[in-house]
Each structure stands twice: as structure tokens, then as C-alpha cells.
Amino acid sequence: TPMLNRRQRQMCIRDRYNTTRVTYGQTIRALAQIPEVAGLASTGHATRTADLAIAVGQELGLHPHDVDDLEFSALMHDVGRITLSEPAILKAGFTDEDIARWGAQIIAEAPYLHRVAELVEEQHRPFRTPGVERDPDVPVPSKIIKVSSAYDQAVHELGLRPVEALERIHQGSAYEFDPIVAASLRRVLVHRGDVPV
């Protein structure tokens, strides 16, 4: 009986953990819609970016927990844009770094999402700078979000065909986009039938 009780307790803890994750996921999906509803991001951008980021993360062999963090981060990567409704900010000007930082500050208000906040804050950074082969401080999930978001914007905001959007990513692979992530994106798009082999 003690063995059964311990097993039952473990199942109860696991069920509570799963329920909490589902609740957090639903909350994050709702929050991710705010920039889109406010007209500060294109409709569906967060969901499409997350979908593509998950596929790339899995293709690169990220651990399932890292893929979960990647999904949440990709969904929330534009949440900092809600600050752009402030006239003073628009007048003063802003950068992608500002948007990422503001988003991370908002997300960090939930302690459970500390890792998500870190990934969002780093997603604006180039994978390397002149004279540096690769910036080790930029997490792989952040690089994946950067590539996935840029691809989605190229297709859905700029109206490029998938192969043209992919070429745009490859052209930016000298500094902006990690070529390993860009190559993974290409494999995912080939697998989906979006670009030719």
C-alpha cells in the first residue's frame, strides 16, 4: 500500500504539472494576440512563427523542454510591441532591441516564464558581429525565433514567395541569421512542400 500511495502521489503531481502547463499555454496564446489585435503585428504572425520555430527546434534536435520554452517564447516574441501605442515612445523612436527588452520585462513579471523572458530579450540579436565567428551568448532558441519570425514576415507582410523569403534569410546569414538555423528552416520547408528540394 505505501508503494501504491507513492505512485498515486506522483501521478497527482504529474497531473497538476500538466494542468498548470496547459493553463500557462492558454494564457500565453491569449497574451500573444494582443499586439495583433492592437494592429501592431500582422494577424496570425505569432502562431505561425511559433509553429515554424517548433518544427525547426525539433529538426535541430532540441530537448522537448527547450522546445516548450521555444514555443512560448515564439508566441510572445512581439509582446513588447504593445508599448508602441504610447505616443511618447513613437516620437522618441525605438529599435528591435527596445521591443525585445520591453517584451522581456513584461513576460518576466511571471516568475514561471523567466526563461521565456530571456529568450525573447535575446531574439533581436544577430548570431555574430564583425570579427566574431559566433556569439555564444545568443541562445539557439532565440536564433530560431529570429529566423522563423523573419521568414513569416517576408511571406505574409512583404508578399514574397516561400523560396524568395528563404533566399532573403540566406542572404542575411553572414551576420544576422545563424546559417545552421537557416539550413534547418530550409529542410523544414522542403519537408512541408513549401520550397522545392
Side-chain angles (χ1 to χ4, degrees), residues 17 21 53-54 56-71 115 119 140-141 144:
Y17 173 79
R21 279 201 69 80
I54 291 166
V56 171
Q58 290 171 335
E59 203 275 338
L60 286 172
L62 263 59
H63 187 279
H65 290 305
D66 292 331
V67 173
D68 287 344
D69 288 341
L70 171 61
E71 177 185 11
R115 178 64 177 155
L119 296 176
V140 171
I144 293 171

Side-chain angles (χ1 to χ4, degrees), residues 97-120:
E97 180 179 359
D98 293 328
I99 293 171
R101 187 180 69 255
W102 296 329
Q105 289 169 350
I106 293 167
I107 295 164
E109 291 297 317
Y112 176 84
L113 298 176
H114 177 71
R115 178 64 177 155
V116 170
E118 288 177 348
L119 296 176
V120 167

Side-chain angles (χ1 to χ4, degrees), residues 92-149:
F94 59 90
T95 65
D96 288 343
E97 180 179 359
D98 293 328
I99 293 171
R101 187 180 69 255
W102 296 329
Q105 289 169 350
I106 293 167
I107 295 164
E109 291 297 317
Y112 176 84
L113 298 176
H114 177 71
R115 178 64 177 155
V116 170
E118 288 177 348
L119 296 176
V120 167
E121 186 163 13
E122 298 299 320
Q123 52 97 17
H124 73 93
R125 291 174 57 183
F127 92 97
R128 76 183 198 99
T129 53
V132 177
E133 184 178 343
R134 186 174 295 273
D135 186 343
D137 294 331
V138 182
V140 171
S142 296
K143 296 175 186 179
I144 293 171
I145 294 166
K146 184 179 185 73
V147 167
S148 301
S149 176

